[in-house]
Amino acid sequence: MRRAHLWIFLGLVILAVFAQVGYAQTPVPTPSDDEVNRIAKQLYCPVCENVPLDVCPTQACNEWRELIRQKLIEGLTEEQIKEYFVLHYGDRVLAEPPRRGLNWVVYILPVVVFLIAVIVTVRVLRSMRKPVSASIVSSSSAEIDEEELKRIEEALKQERE
Amino acid sequence: MNETAVTEPRRLPVWAIVLSLLILLAFLALIGWGLKRSMSGPITVGQKVPEFQMTTFDGESLRSTDFVGKVIVLNFWASWCKPCEQEARELEEAYQYYKDTGKVVFLGLAYVDTEYNSKEYLKKFGITYPNGPDLRTSVSQMFRIRGVPETYIIDQSGKLAYVKIGPFGSTQEIIRVIDPLLSR
């Protein structure tokens, strides 16, 4: 009786092991073009000039898209596939430069320039609202007296005669 | 005459001026550095070749400094490159010719290629000397290659001795370049 139990137990263990193997070998569905292109869009053709990989028409690009599909089947994540491309073809294949080293300039510089522009604009606008500067002195000289005007006109007339 | 209120023109604080100047200087330095880098030409014949390393498709790591005292034939190729096929067999023949002397090292670097296609290419042309991908295109950038195929021959003292842009026409052409270096 005991031996029968042992055999049943062993049988169950073997079944469980085979079930696991069967589960592990379940074929991964082939990734669709959309899934491949979602990653390809974030990469650039390593040999063409400024052509995103998802729209690149060359044979080489087609092979790289197939490589993405292959890597997806192998179970690599989007980030891992991008890392694979960077490792093989360099940072230039990335549509967005990685945030490290000198690449930070690309991200920081526009913000710094924008902040400087805001500060300059605010200062210029403030200065436009400021009182007239010290060198300009207002006076009532524009309001020439009527009598004075008559006197000047008389003098001019006499000069002409 | 009436005088209105007199106001002093506002000035930027000193720290803001210094910071702005520093940012400007850093930016200019960065542009200068980039320009210098882009303007520096390729390694020329007679110039010392900086150290480079590669990992073969078999996973072996090789450094150029491991081959001091030997002539290095460094070939850049790609499986998608048709002209590369013209010299593939010739390079292998030249490798076989010098193999037993132990004085010449042949290295191949696949330029922006897929591993599968590269290996198929090597199989197709029966290439047996060490080959590997040019990871991050670092070596091709160092030599500033303009395309593939290109071959750089480095002499025993680590100086660039010969550059071939395009494919070699024959095995003899390769031997004619290497032999004088060996007899130096």
Side-chain angles (χ1 to χ4, degrees):
Chain A
M1 192 67 182
R2 244 185 174 182
R3 189 173 277 184
H5 280 152
L6 187 68
W7 281 114
I8 290 167
F9 176 73
L10 277 173
L12 285 171
V13 167
I14 290 165
L15 266 176
V17 167
F18 274 103
Q20 282 297 315
V21 170
Y23 179 75
Q25 285 177 345
T26 306
V28 177
T30 309
S32 66
D33 284 352
D34 285 346
E35 283 173 289
V36 171
N37 282 337
R38 201 187 65 239
I39 298 169
K41 205 184 335 186
Q42 299 170 54
L43 297 165
Y44 272 68
C45 165
V47 284
C48 331
E49 286 288 328
N50 301 323
V51 184
L53 200 54
D54 61 327
V55 293
C56 175
T58 65
Q59 178 62 30
C61 287
N62 201 27
E63 281 168 10
W64 279 311
R65 283 193 293 269
E66 280 311 307
L67 183 64
I68 294 174
R69 199 187 308 276
Q70 194 54 47
K71 294 291 169 195
L72 283 170
I73 292 170
E74 286 171 20
L76 266 69
T77 62
E78 191 175 305
E79 276 310 308
Q80 286 171 326
I81 293 171
K82 279 157 68 177
E83 276 169 22
Y84 176 89
F85 270 77
V86 168
L87 176 69
H88 281 79
Y89 313 121
D91 286 345
R92 65 195 173 136
V93 294
L94 292 174
E96 197 179 295
R99 288 172 169 81
R100 65 164 180 261
L102 270 178
N103 291 342
W104 276 108
V105 174
V106 177
Y107 294 96
I108 292 170
L109 202 65
V111 179
V112 170
V113 169
F114 177 75
L115 286 175
I116 291 172
V118 168
I119 292 167
V120 169
T121 310
V122 167
R123 289 188 69 86
V124 168
L125 288 174
R126 273 190 186 166
S127 72
M128 285 166 78
R129 287 195 328 208
K130 267 189 234 166
V132 184
S133 79
S135 59
I136 302 167
V137 178
S138 75
S139 75
S140 58
S141 57
E143 302 155 16
I144 301 171
D145 192 285
E146 278 294 309
E147 281 180 21
E148 184 71 10
L149 195 63
K150 274 182 185 172
R151 198 179 59 77
I152 293 167
E153 277 175 352
E154 283 296 313
L156 283 170
K157 260 184 198 173
Q158 279 175 7
E159 211 165 89
R160 274 186 218 140
E161 283 167 7
Chain B
M1 289 248 258
N2 304 325
E3 274 199 15
T4 57
V6 174
T7 53
E8 277 286 312
R10 275 195 193 179
R11 282 190 183 170
L12 277 172
V14 176
W15 66 264
I17 296 168
V18 171
L19 186 70
S20 307
L21 281 172
L22 280 176
I23 290 171
L24 186 69
L25 278 174
F27 188 56
L28 286 173
L30 199 69
I31 292 172
W33 178 77
L35 270 174
K36 194 187 166 202
R37 206 176 158 207
S38 63
M39 299 289 275
S40 64
I43 301 164
T44 50
V45 172
Q47 216 178 326
K48 189 95 178 162
V49 175
E51 186 193 336
F52 62 89
Q53 63 175 53
M54 63 177 280
T55 304
T56 66
F57 290 117
D58 301 325
E60 191 187 357
S61 189
L62 302 172
R63 282 173 179 275
S64 59
T65 46
D66 298 340
F67 308 118
V68 174
K70 293 181 181 180
V71 170
I72 302 172
V73 179
L74 178 65
N75 176 246
F76 291 96
W77 60 275
S79 67
W80 43 263
C81 152
K82 285 288 157 194
C84 299
E85 296 183 0
Q86 292 171 29
E87 63 170 12
R89 286 202 174 88
E90 283 74 8
L91 280 165
E92 175 62 21
E93 277 174 16
Y95 166 65
Q96 292 297 337
Y97 180 79
Y98 291 109
K99 194 178 169 186
D100 297 330
T101 67
K103 291 176 180 172
V104 186
V105 177
F106 279 70
L107 301 172
L109 277 171
Y111 176 71
V112 283
D113 209 347
T114 59
E115 194 170 328
Y116 176 79
N117 288 351
S118 298
K119 285 179 174 173
E120 285 297 303
Y121 177 94
L122 295 174
K123 205 188 292 176
K124 183 182 171 186
F125 293 100
I127 295 167
T128 56
Y129 57 85
N131 265 276
D134 181 18
L135 296 177
R136 289 181 183 268
T137 63
S138 54
V139 186
S140 52
Q141 277 184 49
M142 192 180 92
F143 281 90
R144 295 195 173 271
I145 70 163
R146 282 143 280 191
V148 276
E150 280 189 19
T151 306
Y152 294 81
I153 299 180
I154 302 156
D155 69 13
Q156 295 94 326
S157 62
K159 287 178 182 167
L160 186 64
Y162 184 82
V163 179
K164 176 73 179 178
I165 309 292
F168 279 106
S170 65
T171 311
Q172 279 309 310
E173 190 188 344
I174 304 169
I175 292 170
R176 274 202 298 273
V177 176
I178 298 171
D179 271 352
L181 297 174
L182 293 176
S183 60
R184 268 186 200 174

